[in-house]
Amino acid sequence: MSDEFYITRCLELAALAMGNVSPNPMVGCVIVADGQIIGQGYHQHYGKPHAEPNAISSVIEKYGNQAQELLKKATAYVNLEPCAHFGKTPPCADLLVKHQLKKVVIGNRDPFASVDGKGIEKLKNAGIEVVSGILDAECRHFNRRFFTRIKQQRPYIILKWAQTANGFFATADGHQKWISGNLAKRLAHQWRTEEDAILIGKKTALMDNPQLTAREWPGKNPIRLVIDKNLQVPQSNHIYNNEAKTIIFNEIKTDLVDNIHYIQMEDMHFYLGQKIAFQLYLMDIQSVIIEGGVNILKQFLETNLWDEARIFSSANSWTEGIASPSIGGNLTEQIQIGPDKLSIYINSINP
């Protein structure tokens, strides 16, 4: 089998931890000897063992006393450079050196300053052959949330909305009216389990009283983020229940009440998107879905502060309403989700 085959397997393993390892990257590891996979593993939860120790443990568990000799002639495949520093776990590069693997094949070099080539250097200095850059673009896209956080010092930002066939976003009178169907709703709830946080503005909180949970898909609820400058959303609103950690960006106070975190900001009418993005970076929030109203979405679009847009278009048309935001970027995919069409755009200006 080719290097690309095994790196693809690493990505398949790593994807099993989607939504559970942030702000760490998703990493899988496959260990091969004599043309056979003898062990594999992935980073399952933040703060727990990384992919490489889990893969090596699987070899030891399966082969017992024969494991060490097998590892000495084995190749380890990993989609991201093995770490070289002590964090919540010991360095994975040191573990591979300890077990004297013959070769390590890597997808991406790790951009994190404490690694960034140091893991590769440790392996080479120990006499281990290293090959890197296998499926580099695919691996980078796979861990695009991690790369965005490290390189741009902000979370990966996903814009999401639904619109009618003729481009209306919401009713003109402000009453709630569903646009997309049940399958689209379930998919949106799956997305919530995969990202760290979800953001809305005051108007959406007041008009829709959303729960912002993943109740229609198994998995964790995202952190709820609400922009409420003057704290006008009533405490009876769903966002104040105890189903998820909730952060309220406002100009009045900084406080912590149970699961509600109030974060005070100055002059929220200036550079709001940039301020929120940097605050989320400081809080180790690696990705956010923005499901706010037109004004919130436009603020992120007009400042080019977005990475991906996911837009549902229904088959139905309205005679009037509030127009949807206009989107640039590259249309990369269109999928039929029941009666709705999902269009996915990538911001072509971002690196």
Side-chain angles (χ1 to χ4, degrees):
M1 296 295 181
S2 66
D3 289 348
E4 288 79 7
F5 173 86
Y6 292 119
I7 292 294
T8 298
R9 177 57 183 160
C10 290
L11 296 178
E12 291 171 351
L13 291 166
L16 297 173
M18 186 76 178
N20 293 325
V21 297
S22 176
N24 283 354
M26 296 177 287
V27 182
C29 178
V30 175
I31 300 177
V32 178
D34 298 326
Q36 300 292 323
I37 293 176
I38 61 169
Q40 55 187 6
Y42 64 100
H43 182 30
Q44 298 179 19
H45 293 281
Y46 176 69
K48 300 297 183 180
H50 289 183
E52 296 91 333
N54 284 336
I56 286 176
S57 293
S58 74
V59 176
I60 293 171
E61 183 178 339
K62 184 176 181 179
Y63 293 97
N65 294 333
Q66 298 177 319
Q68 194 53 54
E69 288 306 311
L70 282 170
L71 288 169
K72 285 182 181 180
K73 61 179 181 178
T75 297
Y77 292 85
V78 62
N79 59 289
L80 191 71
E81 176 182 2
C83 62
H85 65 297
F86 282 89
K88 290 186 177 295
T89 60
C92 294
D94 288 0
L95 183 67
L96 297 175
V97 169
K98 173 187 173 182
H99 287 283
Q100 299 176 290
L101 273 81
K102 182 180 179 181
K103 183 178 179 180
V104 176
V105 178
I106 297 167
N108 291 142
R109 180 165 163 160
D110 191 329
F112 185 54
S114 296
V115 187
D116 198 11
K118 298 180 180 68
I120 292 173
E121 184 180 5
K122 277 190 174 186
L123 297 172
K124 287 183 175 179
N125 288 343
I128 296 173
E129 181 185 354
V130 178
V131 175
S132 61
I134 304 300
L135 296 182
D136 184 82
E138 291 86 346
C139 292
R140 186 178 298 270
H141 178 74
F142 178 77
N143 267 318
R144 57 196 181 277
R145 298 160 182 82
F146 174 72
F147 276 84
T148 298
R149 177 178 172 271
I150 298 300
K151 292 198 160 190
Q152 299 188 44
Q153 296 189 328
R154 65 165 178 80
Y156 187 83
I157 297 172
I158 300 166
L159 309 179
K160 179 258 175 183
W161 72 82
Q163 62 188 26
T164 64
N166 56 340
F168 288 120
F169 176 91
T171 58
D173 60 9
H175 285 91
Q176 186 183 46
K177 187 176 181 180
W178 286 105
I179 296 176
S180 52
N182 288 331
L183 283 177
K185 184 179 180 181
R186 288 199 72 206
L187 179 57
H189 282 218
Q190 179 187 341
W191 292 340
R192 291 177 181 181
T193 69
E194 297 172 349
E195 311 304 337
D196 287 354
I198 183 168
L199 172 72
I200 61 169
K202 176 197 70 179
K203 287 184 179 178
T204 300
L206 290 173
M207 288 169 50
D208 298 347
N209 191 17
Q211 299 181 57
L212 303 183
T213 59
R215 57 197 178 278
E216 297 203 15
W217 195 265
K220 66 174 182 61
N221 289 326
I223 298 170
R224 300 179 295 199
L225 311 172
V226 183
I227 301 169
D228 187 8
K229 179 179 176 181
N230 297 312
L231 296 180
Q232 294 174 287
V233 179
Q235 297 281 322
S236 58
N237 191 282
H238 286 140
I239 61 166
Y240 281 103
N241 65 29
N242 61 4
E243 292 185 16
K245 177 179 177 179
T246 303
I247 298 170
I248 313 290
F249 296 110
N250 69 94
E251 286 191 353
I252 295 175
K253 66 178 180 179
T254 293
D255 197 6
L256 173 60
V257 182
D258 297 324
N259 62 309
I260 311 298
H261 299 242
Y262 297 91
I263 296 181
Q264 184 178 15
M265 290 183 169
E266 296 182 356
D267 300 323
M268 291 180 69
H269 51 291
F270 291 121
Y271 306 108
L272 179 62
Q274 292 91 329
K275 289 176 180 176
I276 288 175
F278 187 60
Q279 182 65 49
L280 298 181
Y281 167 75
L282 294 176
M283 299 173 71
D284 280 342
I285 292 176
Q286 188 163 250
S287 62
V288 58
I289 301 174
I290 298 178
E291 286 196 11
V294 168
N295 290 335
I296 296 295
L297 291 165
K298 282 184 176 178
Q299 287 192 58
F300 283 87
L301 284 165
E302 289 170 358
T303 55
N304 199 41
L305 196 57
W306 66 282
D307 299 286
E308 187 176 331
R310 302 172 182 176
I311 305 168
F312 289 108
S313 298
S314 77
N316 301 321
S317 295
W318 293 354
T319 56
E320 61 177 1
I322 297 171
S324 298
S326 58
I327 185 80
N330 294 331
L331 176 61
T332 59
E333 197 170 5
Q334 286 191 312
I335 312 165
Q336 198 68 32
I337 308 293
D340 306 306
K341 180 177 68 177
L342 171 63
S343 300
I344 298 177
Y345 293 82
I346 297 296
N347 188 344
S348 56
I349 298 177
N350 281 333

